[in-house]
């Protein structure tokens, strides 16, 4: 049965429907980037709130900035902006239809639909999931990169923004000119201090265009930091078939995910917010401890198992967790190098948190591919692995495991596996990574000389030595033997 507003009443009885009148829901949030994660996370929380009788003026207007978003829009519009979320674990499936999206703005290169929406005073929050690499952050400085060509183009063309941050500046300029209250800008990406990073991008463009506008934004617009978490793998044809054959639903844009979800958010909003605390969102004065915990332990952990598992020929995260050496590698690096340098988190045991992470990684129903976890390492490693190495170096702690994690990434980026199989392109900077990996085979420090990724860590003699040892072992002995050597304590 094709999913639509007309067929909601005829769906499989085990699929939950929106428990509210969708005709009364209006958009108060413009969300840019309607990938699987947003639709399994932020949208689900808002759907829960509406089901509890929460204010119906906090619906979501979807928006996209990439060419592929046109297809996304068409698929969702054809089914009245409804879609299925199927939570999966060893106990089975729990399905629901999410109805909080009111519409999907037209997709265009000049962001005309987004700009129109931002001018509407009913839109009080503009939220984003534009991936870790979409914030124009320099790994060398750790701050906003004002010299990026896309940023320079937006500064020079304020009425024709090319980036979403240029569009946000244009939207805020219009709100200021109209004497309207500005909207909150809320990042929902896995980026350390995501609100601060987003603020730097917006203010960087605004300052280049109009210093008075930049000052107004700085004084009047909130950019709350937040920590978001839910494992949401890619939607495959096999998953779509499972939904159709098990529940009889024909859905162009279903989402599959684990049951667990978490959202920790600063309570800083310009023009009000939905009462998300009623549906499990944690509002805290400082997100930093939660952010460190999640990015270092979970996202860093994903990187640890991903490249090791991929080089061993494994396919899924749960396969990697079932492999004695990969799981042992994860446990040793986390317990000896990562967890000891993660600051305390209120009312949280980091040891118990790591046990939860191990269980989540091991969920066989999620079928999270290692290829997805390996993707975009050039943007993820500087955020998930390198900062832990920097903190260990500063504390005089071992970095052998984190250096091995980097060496595994380098070996993966060679583009050919240990059985001479091709490793498909898996990074926006793939050509550069392959070329540098080939150079690093004989001169390991070449990999660490990518200063935009490694910064000062790449200059550390201690890290360089540990990295060279690990990479040379991978080339001479292979992944399996290297992991065993590390676990035996003989790689130092």
């Amino acid at each position: 049965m094709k999913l639509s507003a007309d067929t909601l009443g005829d769906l499989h009885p085990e699929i939950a429907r929106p428990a509210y009148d969708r005709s009364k829901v209006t958009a108060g949030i413009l969300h840019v980037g309607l990938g699987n994660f947003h639709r399994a996370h932020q949208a689900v929380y808002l759907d829960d709130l509406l089901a509890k009788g929460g204010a119906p003026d906090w619906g979501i207007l979807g928006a996209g900035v990439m060419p592929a978003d046109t297809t996304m829009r068409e698929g969702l519009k054809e089914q009245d902006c409804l879609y299925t979320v199927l939570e999966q674990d060893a106990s089975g499936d729990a399905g629901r239809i999410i109805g909080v999206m009111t519409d999907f703005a037209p997709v265009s290169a000049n962001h005309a639909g987004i700009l129109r929406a931002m001018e509407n005073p009913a839109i009080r929050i503009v939220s984003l999931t534009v991936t870790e690499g979409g914030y124009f952050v320099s790994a060398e400085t750790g701050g906003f990169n004002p010299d990026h060509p896309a940023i320079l183009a937006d500064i020079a063309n304020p009425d024709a923004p090319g980036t979403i941050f240029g569009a946000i500046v244009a939207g805020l300029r219009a709100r200021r000119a109209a004497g309207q209250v500005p909207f909150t800008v809320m990042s929902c990406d896995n980026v350390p201090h995501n609100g601060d990073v987003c603020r730097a991008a917006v203010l960087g463009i605004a300052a280049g265009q109009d210093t008075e506008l930049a000052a107004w934004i700085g004084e009047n617009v909130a950019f709350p930091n937040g920590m978001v978490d839910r494992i949401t793998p890619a939607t495959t044809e096999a998953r779509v078939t499972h939904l159709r054959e098990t529940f009889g639903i024909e859905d162009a844009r279903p989402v599959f995910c684990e049951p667990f979800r978490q959202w920790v958010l600063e309570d800083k909003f310009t023009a009000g917010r939905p009462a998300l605390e009623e549906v499990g969102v944690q509002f805290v004065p400082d997100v930093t401890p939660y952010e460190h915990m999640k990015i270092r332990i979970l996202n860093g952990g994903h990187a640890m198992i991903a490249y090791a598992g991929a080089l061993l020929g494994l396919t899924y995260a749960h396969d990697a967790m079932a492999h004695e050496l990969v799981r042992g590698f994860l446990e040793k690096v986390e317990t000896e190098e990562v967890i000891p340098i993660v600051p305390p988190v209120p009312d949280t045991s980091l040891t118990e948190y790591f046990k939860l992470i191990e269980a989540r990684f091991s969920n066989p129903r999620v079928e999270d591919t290692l290829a997805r976890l390996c993707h975009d390492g050039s943007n993820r490693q500087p955020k998930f692995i390198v900062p832990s190495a920097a903190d260990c170096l500063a504390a005089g702690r071992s970095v052998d495991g984190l250096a091995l994690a980097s060496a595994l990434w380098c070996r993966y980026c060679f583009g050919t596996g240990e059985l001479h199989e091709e490793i498909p392109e898996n990074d926006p900077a793939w050509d550069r990574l392959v070329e540098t990996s080939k150079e690093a085979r004989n001169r390991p420090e070449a990999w660490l000389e990518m200063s935009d990724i490694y910064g000062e860590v790449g200059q550390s003699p201690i890290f360089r030595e540990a990295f060279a040892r690990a990479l040379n072992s991978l080339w001479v002995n292979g992944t399996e033997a290297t992991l065993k050597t590390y676990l035996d304590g003989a790689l130092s």
Side-chain angles (χ1 to χ4, degrees), residues 60 121 123 129 146 165 172 216 224 242 272 301 311 359 420 451 487:
I60 295 173
I123 297 296
T129 43
F165 302 107
L172 289 169
W216 181 83
H242 170 73
L311 289 169
H420 306 291
S451 58
L487 294 175

Side-chain angles (χ1 to χ4, degrees), residues 271-295:
R273 64 167 177 82
L276 291 165
E277 66 274 16
E278 295 181 10
V279 289
V281 176
Q282 297 167 259
F283 284 97
V284 298
D286 184 9
V287 173
T288 304
Y290 302 89
E291 187 177 75
H292 269 100
M293 175 182 73
K294 191 260 179 174
I295 287 176

Side-chain angles (χ1 to χ4, degrees), residues 319-359:
D319 294 334
M321 292 301 290
H323 194 288
E324 181 181 11
L325 295 177
V326 178
R327 186 168 191 140
F329 172 55
L330 172 70
E331 291 175 349
K332 185 172 182 179
V333 182
E334 293 274 20
T335 57
E336 294 184 3
E337 298 180 21
V338 177
I339 292 174
I341 50 88
V342 173
V345 181
D347 303 317
T348 303
S349 163
L350 295 181
T351 301
E352 291 302 314
Y353 180 77
F354 177 57
K355 290 181 181 178
L356 172 64
I357 296 303
E358 287 186 300

Side-chain angles (χ1 to χ4, degrees), residues 163-367:
T163 73
I164 185 55
F165 302 107
I168 289 172
V169 172
L172 289 169
R173 182 190 302 109
R175 295 283 274 257
R176 179 181 179 230
Q180 297 171 350
V181 176
F183 46 77
T184 295
V185 183
M186 182 175 70
S187 170
C188 298
D189 278 301
N190 278 318
V191 176
H193 307 297
N194 53 13
D196 295 339
V197 172
C198 189
R199 184 177 190 271
V202 171
L203 287 180
I205 294 173
Q209 295 176 353
D210 180 344
T211 55
E212 290 186 4
L213 174 63
W216 181 83
I217 293 173
E219 293 173 3
N220 295 282
V221 179
F223 296 82
N225 289 305
M227 183 273 269
V228 295
D229 189 10
R230 187 171 220 181
I231 296 174
T232 310
T235 297
T236 63
E237 187 56 42
R239 293 183 188 278
V240 174
T241 299
H242 170 73
L243 179 65
R244 182 173 58 248
E245 293 182 350
T246 305
F247 297 101
I249 299 176
E250 193 74 38
D251 186 343
R253 290 291 170 176
V255 180
F256 303 80
C257 57
E258 64 171 339
F260 178 90
R261 55 185 156 107
Q262 186 178 19
W263 194 2
V264 184
L265 194 57
E266 289 178 348
D267 201 353
K268 298 194 306 185
F269 290 81
T270 309
R273 64 167 177 82
L276 291 165
E277 66 274 16
E278 295 181 10
V279 289
V281 176
Q282 297 167 259
F283 284 97
V284 298
D286 184 9
V287 173
T288 304
Y290 302 89
E291 187 177 75
H292 269 100
M293 175 182 73
K294 191 260 179 174
I295 287 176
R296 302 292 184 88
I297 298 175
L298 184 146
N299 295 113
H302 264 155
M304 292 169 208
I305 68 171
Y307 300 109
L311 289 169
L312 290 171
L314 305 177
T315 301
Y316 297 108
H318 66 269
D319 294 334
M321 292 301 290
H323 194 288
E324 181 181 11
L325 295 177
V326 178
R327 186 168 191 140
F329 172 55
L330 172 70
E331 291 175 349
K332 185 172 182 179
V333 182
E334 293 274 20
T335 57
E336 294 184 3
E337 298 180 21
V338 177
I339 292 174
I341 50 88
V342 173
V345 181
D347 303 317
T348 303
S349 163
L350 295 181
T351 301
E352 291 302 314
Y353 180 77
F354 177 57
K355 290 181 181 178
L356 172 64
I357 296 303
E358 287 186 300
R360 293 169 62 197
F361 285 5
S362 301
N363 182 350
R365 295 297 309 289
V366 171
E367 294 185 341

Side-chain angles (χ1 to χ4, degrees), residues 27-88:
I29 298 173
L30 171 68
H31 184 83
V32 182
L34 269 80
N36 285 357
F37 180 77
H38 160 75
R39 292 186 294 122
H41 189 265
Q42 179 186 355
V44 172
Y45 279 106
L46 286 161
D47 195 76
D48 283 345
L49 183 60
L50 285 167
K52 288 173 66 71
D57 56 342
W58 286 110
I60 295 173
L61 170 62
V65 296
M66 304 299 289
D69 290 325
T70 299
T71 305
M72 168 80 76
R73 179 177 187 268
E74 291 172 352
L76 286 169
K77 291 277 285 183
E78 286 177 1
Q79 50 197 47
D80 302 311
C81 292
L82 297 165
Y83 63 91
T84 313
V85 170
L86 199 64
E87 299 176 359
Q88 299 182 295

